[in-house]
Amino acid sequence: MDTLLVLIPALPFLAFITIVLVTNHDKKLSASLTIGATAISWLLGWYFAFRALLHPEHYASHPMRWEVPWFPGGHSVFVTGFQVDVLTAAMLFMVPFLCLLIFIYSLGYMEGDPRFSRFFAYLALFATGMLGFILADNMLLAFIFWELMGVCSYLLIGFWSFRKPGETHIDHAQVVRARNASLKAFITTRVGDTVMLAGMVLLYAMTGSLRWSEVLSHETLEMLAHKVTTVPIFGAAPWATVLAILIFWGAIGKSAQFPLHVWLPDAMEGPTPVSALIHAATMVSAGVYLIIRTFPLFHIVEGYNGAMWFVAFIGTFTAFFAATIGVAQFDIKRVLAYSTISQLGYMFAALGIGAYVAAAFHLIMHAFFKALLFLGSGSVIHAMHHGHHVVHEHGHHEDLGGLEFNPNDMRFMGGLLKKMPITGWTFIAGGLSLAAFPVVTAGFWSKDEILAEAWHNGHFWVFWTLAIAAFLTAFYTGRQIFMTFFGEPRTEAAKHAHESPKTMTYPLIILAFFAIAGGWVGIPETFPVLGHIGRGWFQSVIATQAEAFHIHVEHIPFNPTPALISMAMALGGLAVAWLIYGTRPLGFEDPLERPLNGLWTVLHNKYWIDELYQNTIIAFAKWLSVTLYKFDDVWVIDPFVDGVGRFGRWLAFTTRRFIDEQIIDRLVNLTAWVSNLLGEWFRQIQTGQVQNYLLAILLTVAVLLLLGVV
Amino acid sequence: MVPLSWYLTVAALLFVLGLYGVLSRRNAVAILMGVELMLNAVNINLIAFWRYTRPDNVAGLVFAIIVLTVAAAEAAVGLALFIALYRLRETVNVDEIDLLKG
Amino acid sequence: MVLKVVFLLISLFTVGSAFMVVTHRNLFSSALFLVASFFGVAALYVLLEATFLAVAQVLIYVGAIATLIVFAIMLTRGMMSGRTSPRNDQAVWAGLSSVVLGLVLLYVVVYRVRWPVVEKPVPPDTIERLGSALVGPYVIPFEIASVLLLAALIGAVLIAREREI
């Protein structure tokens, strides 16, 4: 039965192959293949997931396995395969299910796109990447699927990066933006991946294996923790710390943490289902999952733990940093993008302070409500686009305050709740979950857990930073909801918007259910009154896994202080947002733009990090390549090569002139001349006259006779 | 009785004269005549040796007759050749027939 | 003694005729001298008591070959006129080497070699024995000669035939 594990990633892959090779002309069939394959993967995935989740004690230490020998290594055969332990099961609960919902949603969203079949092929490949990654039982296989996701993200973000002549569904500016965004995503994540690859190679060099079960075994980790190496600048550090930080860089790239976060907001150029896929179910979750998976490596060093500290710092900083940027964005998807970065920061912060269970919990919950939010925003954009199209057909030209119309821009929305109630209400549910609206939403339980752990473990700077970030999160979520769904429509397009098709709204409803109720599986047992409903089921399951990794999970007692602060932040943020954006009609200018002035500019321009990279690293790279080009083609190498060529030509010329023509040729001519001369001589003998020959014979006979006689 | 050497001398002279004719004459018919003279010289030799050494053995006579036959055949074929040649080249001068000249 | 004188006379006639054959400018005269020379040779055969051969000589050489030669001369008449030299360019060299060869031959056959001469009469049934020999021990050369004659006959006809090309 465990052999069926291989089908989970294989089925979407087969769908991809089939679409690309055979069915790409039939849009319906292609979409059906992808969705069908993913549906089967989902059912299989849930079968394995629930098997593991319902018997965590057994499967935490004895995962379900399917493995084959891959290639022979130096001393052993490299075995590869798939495994499902409790941690994988939690992901397996979330990933294929979300993929399936997003794929169904894509049916409606991508309708009429000229490259519909191709889109579904890419989606299937993306699903393959993520499923393979979470199931892989060794780091090498995981890395392969990880990179497969990288490729797919490149393909999907840049899905609109070209158009054939006569295609009108996208304009030229969008093509250029999509192209740049896809390159940016690919190259930026590659930076992290390269460091991670170094970590992986070092890990193999140190342990001789890449299988999770061997690398993360307690003995190996102890060995890594006690072996000390010297790192330049930082000084002596245990190998475990070095490897952990190197691997963490992969997660920084993939999960868009602070220095490498720039690709994620730009990734919005892809079709919205892709954004949902990247932000919720796959890409960014992969980074967090990687760190949760390798958490024992981070955790093993006792005393001062540089890796944990680093993770906590990056996570906390990113959570706050991204939240501030989110406040000052107008693009509905960009706000969500920064919220994703911020929420991922929460997860890393949780891991950094050792809150293993909370991080996993938040990862799963976040995936559900963020998928919901993205799909909802996609629905809104779809409606705005449609509305704009209708208005445009009727020949209306309205004044947009000097701005160009953009269906993503929240300034042009407003009052959409009445036009599209299903989208509106589900979006609000997701938004409240993101804002951690107390008690009812999933986001509250997972985020509250992180804050509680931070408080309990005495990481106050982490706690307060995250708390402020929580306030900002609630604020910009509220701002988004009020700007989009409440008030009066501010443009004709918004007035003409209407509800999206059922293939799009049904996934929203399902996700809304999980965004609210999903958190109930993780209500801490110690929480007053409600603790008896959930009994901390999720925590206990994941804790079993953690214990199998020799990570001690503390059952923290309920502390009202952090819980109240968390509630206050969430409600406060929403309230402030309501005061600013909900109480009076909005124009095309943000009410905060004037009061905040300079700060607003800084935030709106994302701290100019993109420009900074553009003017430093990218400029340096460009300068370097130009210089190297000149070194190669203009200054040194080419002249050298040309010189060698010229010398060769000169040598050949000289040789020809003085040796070939003067000596060899003359010798050859001499031979010919001698032959000719001899021929000229001897041809005279050949007179062709019989009598001459006879005379010669006679003379010969006469001479012979004479000799014989004498 | 006439000594054998006298006959041999006559034969040798005839042979040399025939040879000279073959080598020096331009006309093909004249060359053929030279050849006939040489054959006659050979026949004289054959018969002289028969008479002076083995008169009871007819081998010498037999070969003289065969030489005679060959001479007749040669004359016939030679004549045919000259006629054919004359028809083709309008000449029977051997020194003008030099197609194999180098 | 008489025989020797007769021999000398016949020899002189024969060799003289032969000399004229190879030296005379007129080809037709050469042919007539050739006939004379053939007769001389036939006479020498008589002296050698080979009468059958003598008769055959006259019949074949004089009757057939000489006639053929005359025919050839007349058929290729264009060259008979003697407007150019009958000798070619190498005549002097040919004469010289012929003389040398003749001298060497004479030296060899006359002085150098002691021929084993036996004084025996010619058997009276020589011609009978000749006939038996031709169909007995020498039947194969005899038959080959006949095939040669046939081939020459056919070949001559074929070669001399007027071709319709």
Side-chain angles (χ1 to χ4, degrees), chain A residues 444 448 452 455 463 526-528 557-568:
Chain A
F444 169 73
D448 179 62
W455 181 271
F463 176 82
T526 49
F527 198 84
F558 177 71
N559 189 334
T561 321
L564 285 175
I565 292 172
S566 160
M567 286 185 196

Side-chain angles (χ1 to χ4, degrees), chain A residues 602-655:
Chain A
V602 172
L603 296 180
H604 186 69
N605 288 304
K606 304 160 259 178
Y607 297 97
W608 290 290
I609 297 237
D610 276 329
E611 286 76 6
L612 180 73
Y613 286 171
Q614 200 71 38
N615 290 324
T616 53
I617 296 170
I618 296 170
F620 174 72
K622 280 184 179 168
W623 173 84
L624 189 66
S625 44
V626 167
T627 311
L628 287 177
Y629 154 74
K630 284 194 173 153
F631 181 81
D632 187 89
D633 274 17
V634 181
W635 293 334
V636 181
I637 306 291
D638 261 25
F640 180 72
V641 172
D642 284 354
V644 171
R646 277 206 200 96
F647 175 73
R649 267 185 56 174
W650 173 83
L651 192 67
F653 193 75
T654 316
T655 312

Side-chain angles (χ1 to χ4, degrees), chain A residues 411-432:
Chain A
R411 285 173 291 184
F412 305 143
M413 299 175 186
L416 287 177
L417 189 61
K418 283 174 202 145
K419 306 282 180 195
M420 34 200 320
I422 302 178
T423 306
W425 285 114
T426 50
F427 192 94
I428 290 168
L432 291 179

Side-chain angles (χ1 to χ4, degrees), chain A residues 683 686-689 691 698, chain B residues 22-23 25 31 95 101-102:
Chain A
R683 68 179 289 235
Q686 302 287 335
T687 58
Q689 295 193 15
Q691 287 172 309
L698 170 62
Chain B
V22 168
L23 288 178
R25 300 296 290 239
I31 290 170
D95 56 359
K101 181 176 166 63

Side-chain angles (χ1 to χ4, degrees), chain A residues 105-167:
Chain A
Y105 175 92
S106 305
L107 276 179
Y109 191 85
M110 295 303 285
E111 197 177 2
D113 192 280
R115 286 179 281 275
F116 189 81
S117 301
R118 178 191 304 221
F119 185 75
F120 275 89
Y122 290 165
L123 287 182
L125 193 61
F126 212 141
T128 308
M130 186 60 186
L131 290 167
F133 173 72
I134 59 172
L135 288 169
D137 79 340
N138 62 75
M139 197 167 175
L140 185 59
L141 188 64
F143 188 73
I144 288 170
F145 282 111
W146 171 280
E147 292 298 334
L148 182 63
M149 266 191 282
V151 173
C152 288
S153 68
Y154 167 77
L155 292 171
L156 283 170
I157 293 168
F159 189 73
W160 282 329
S161 65
F162 65 96
R163 55 172 183 175
K164 294 175 192 158
E167 286 183 4

